[in-house]
Amino acid sequence: MSNRLDMKIDTNNRKDKTKYDGPEKPDAYMGNDKQWVFRALVLAFIDMCIIAISFFFALMIRFEFSYSHIPLSFLEGYLHIVPLFIVISLVVFYIFRLYHSIWRFASINEFMHIIGAFLVLTVVSVTIHEVYEIKMPYAFWIIGLMLSFALCTACRFAYRFIRTGQKMLEQRGSANGDEKVMIIGAGNAGRMLIRELIMSSHLHTKACCIIDDNPAKLGRFIDGVPIVGNRNDIPEMVEKYDITKIVYAVPSTSGKDRKDILNICKDTGCDVSVVPGIYQMVDGRVSVSNLRPVSIEDLLGRDPVVVDNDGIHSFLQGKVVMVTGGGGSIGSELCRQIAREDPKLLIIFDIYENNAYDIQQELKRKYPYVRVETLIGSVRNTNRLHYVFQTYHPEIIYHAAAHKHVPLMEE
């Protein structure tokens, strides 16, 4: 049993500072909305140009880049079909949320959205080809869709590629002044953390190496960062890469493995941080701002005990509570915490009068409004216990009477 009844991890009362529930949006939120709309409109305009140019080039490629050889009917078909196709494309792109993503974090998820959008547009192009009176060449549709897909994808990922290149050049130019970081864990959390370290222009840190216990990952790279060993290699790699900070990026693990790895990290003398649990990462991203120092719970080797304070209060309030061994180390702490819950009567029962007296006087000073009865006796004395029960009628008993030197008393 925990020696503190009021230990509790309060996840319900945390306030989300990024959320605003007022009747009107603050100016900062209004500005963010305007920025998003402006960027979405710019990206939509670029998409319109890409589609128009792609299908025109498709027509030019079909006729070997000879504009004069293109039949007039195909040019008219282009002028009638492409505007309609552009409108449909913008609607499809919006449905697939291609104007909602933060493209500097673009990854496989965003790429799959682009593929899904163009699969729908492929069906749309077949439908238009079948129902429209002017039959455009098959190459017009095939090449136009391929060019549109390539250019739309390149447009969206270009920012990330440019930022990554700039960050890598900056890191090479100022590598000596950067804080060198070791990442524990080559999973999704570690990968996202490395990506943010590379992309951020405000962080003067460099991911130098990765540690992972999976032998199949040894010698491989994540965004250019090598996986150099397992947990047993941490001290050696800290020295080899001159590491000053270690980040434990395996939020899904707990128990003995977590405790063992964190203890090894602490022994290196490096600053150690941990990525919070997945349930804390509401937006699905691992961020450097989410990192926190190692806490005692991380080193328990088990899940922390969560105590229901409200339930305990309602359980003890107005009750006659008896604590056997109430003057001992555990019993006295139980008495302190029970007294806070406003019992009807707190009975301190102990065989040793000095300890019982000490806790009695302490409770009288701290909780003068609580009725405390101090009784001396042994839990092995049946007659004494019968007297206590018949006189005070305790409703709840915390049995904390025990010998401390168990091996001696057993002998």
Side-chain angles (χ1 to χ4, degrees):
M1 177 178 179
S2 171
N3 67 340
R4 287 193 60 83
L5 297 178
D6 59 353
M7 283 181 59
K8 184 177 181 182
I9 298 176
D10 186 1
T11 57
N12 296 325
N13 294 329
R14 291 176 181 165
K15 294 182 179 180
D16 184 358
K17 296 181 180 180
T18 62
K19 185 177 179 181
Y20 182 80
D21 295 326
E24 295 180 0
K25 291 185 177 180
D27 293 340
Y29 279 73
M30 296 290 286
N32 289 338
D33 286 345
K34 290 178 181 178
Q35 281 187 348
W36 176 82
V37 172
F38 176 74
R39 290 175 181 174
L41 289 175
V42 170
L43 193 54
F45 177 75
I46 293 173
D47 287 337
M48 293 169 60
C49 295
I50 285 174
I51 294 171
I53 293 171
S54 295
F55 280 94
F56 181 77
F57 264 90
L59 204 57
M60 291 290 290
I61 291 171
R62 168 64 179 79
F63 291 96
E64 300 178 351
F65 291 97
S66 178
Y67 181 80
S68 60
H69 289 170
I70 301 176
L72 183 60
S73 59
F74 287 166
L75 290 174
E76 291 178 354
Y78 170 85
L79 294 176
H80 285 86
I81 290 173
V82 170
L84 173 63
F85 190 78
I86 287 175
V87 172
I88 296 173
S89 297
L90 294 180
V91 173
V92 172
F93 288 170
Y94 183 85
I95 292 173
F96 278 83
R97 306 184 69 82
L98 299 190
Y99 300 121
H100 298 74
S101 297
I102 302 175
W103 289 100
R104 69 189 182 98
F105 294 122
S107 62
I108 188 66
N109 185 55
E110 284 75 18
F111 183 66
M112 294 304 295
H113 284 187
I114 297 174
I115 292 177
F118 273 90
L119 286 176
V120 172
L121 291 180
T122 300
V123 176
V124 170
S125 64
V126 172
T127 304
I128 294 176
H129 179 79
E130 293 298 326
V131 301
Y132 199 71
E133 57 184 11
I134 299 177
K135 302 297 183 184
M136 301 296 288
Y138 289 113
F140 169 81
W141 293 108
I142 295 172
I143 298 174
L145 286 170
M146 291 174 62
L147 285 175
S148 298
F149 173 77
L151 292 174
C152 285
T153 304
C155 172
R156 282 162 170 77
F157 281 82
Y159 179 75
R160 179 182 165 187
F161 292 148
I162 293 170
R163 287 292 301 120
T164 301
Q166 288 178 343
K167 182 64 176 177
M168 292 177 68
L169 290 175
E170 290 172 2
Q171 286 184 343
R172 289 181 181 179
S174 60
N176 294 332
D178 285 346
E179 184 178 29
K180 297 180 179 179
V181 179
M182 171 187 285
I183 306 295
I184 307 295
N188 287 333
R191 175 179 57 81
M192 288 189 283
L193 186 62
I194 291 169
R195 184 163 298 162
E196 180 165 350
L197 292 176
I198 293 173
M199 292 294 296
S200 177
S201 59
H202 305 290
L203 300 174
H204 299 287
T205 57
K206 179 182 179 183
C208 295
C209 61
I210 305 170
I211 295 293
D212 198 281
D213 283 341
N214 187 348
K217 295 181 180 179
L218 183 62
R220 298 190 179 185
F221 291 78
I222 296 179
D223 287 337
V225 182
I227 302 172
V228 295
N230 56 37
R231 69 179 72 178
N232 299 319
D233 299 314
I234 291 175
E236 179 185 350
M237 295 304 159
V238 165
E239 185 176 350
K240 179 179 178 180
Y241 288 93
D242 195 21
I243 300 298
T244 57
K245 183 172 184 176
I246 301 175
V247 179
Y248 184 84
V250 195
S252 59
T253 62
S254 60
K256 187 176 183 300
D257 283 340
R258 185 185 186 93
K259 175 184 175 183
D260 291 347
I261 296 173
L262 286 174
N263 280 330
I264 295 173
C265 294
K266 295 291 283 185
D267 290 341
T268 64
C270 296
D271 180 21
V272 183
S273 298
V274 296
V275 170
I278 294 297
Y279 67 92
Q280 291 176 284
M281 293 182 282
V282 179
D283 62 354
R285 298 193 184 279
V286 176
S287 171
V288 173
S289 61
N290 295 133
L291 300 182
R292 59 173 176 79
V294 176
S295 64
I296 190 65
E297 287 82 3
D298 296 316
L299 303 175
L300 280 175
R302 60 170 174 79
D303 292 333
V305 176
V306 181
V307 179
D308 180 8
N309 284 350
D310 294 335
I312 290 173
H313 179 73
S314 61
F315 179 63
L316 296 176
Q317 186 181 28
K319 303 289 181 61
V320 178
V321 184
M322 175 178 173
V323 180
T324 67
S329 56
I330 295 176
S332 61
E333 180 61 27
L334 283 170
C335 290
R336 293 184 190 97
Q337 298 194 35
I338 291 168
R340 290 202 295 265
E341 307 303 334
D342 193 24
K344 179 180 179 182
L345 171 65
L346 173 57
I347 302 170
I348 303 173
F349 188 85
D350 201 285
I351 195 172
Y352 185 42
E353 72 277 8
N354 285 354
N355 287 345
Y357 176 79
D358 290 341
I359 187 64
Q360 178 198 50
Q361 296 304 308
E362 179 184 334
L363 294 180
K364 283 185 176 180
R365 291 192 304 271
K366 292 183 177 179
Y367 309 101
Y369 55 86
V370 176
R371 182 186 169 198
V372 177
E373 192 73 38
T374 305
L375 304 175
I376 305 302
S378 171
V379 293
R380 294 177 293 175
N381 187 330
T382 305
N383 291 332
R384 179 61 169 159
L385 290 178
H386 278 309
Y387 170 78
V388 173
F389 295 153
Q390 291 172 0
T391 303
Y392 297 97
H393 304 287
E395 301 167 84
I396 300 168
I397 299 177
Y398 286 92
H399 183 42
H403 290 300
K404 287 190 174 182
H405 302 288
V406 176
L408 173 63
M409 298 309 296
E410 285 180 339
E411 291 176 6

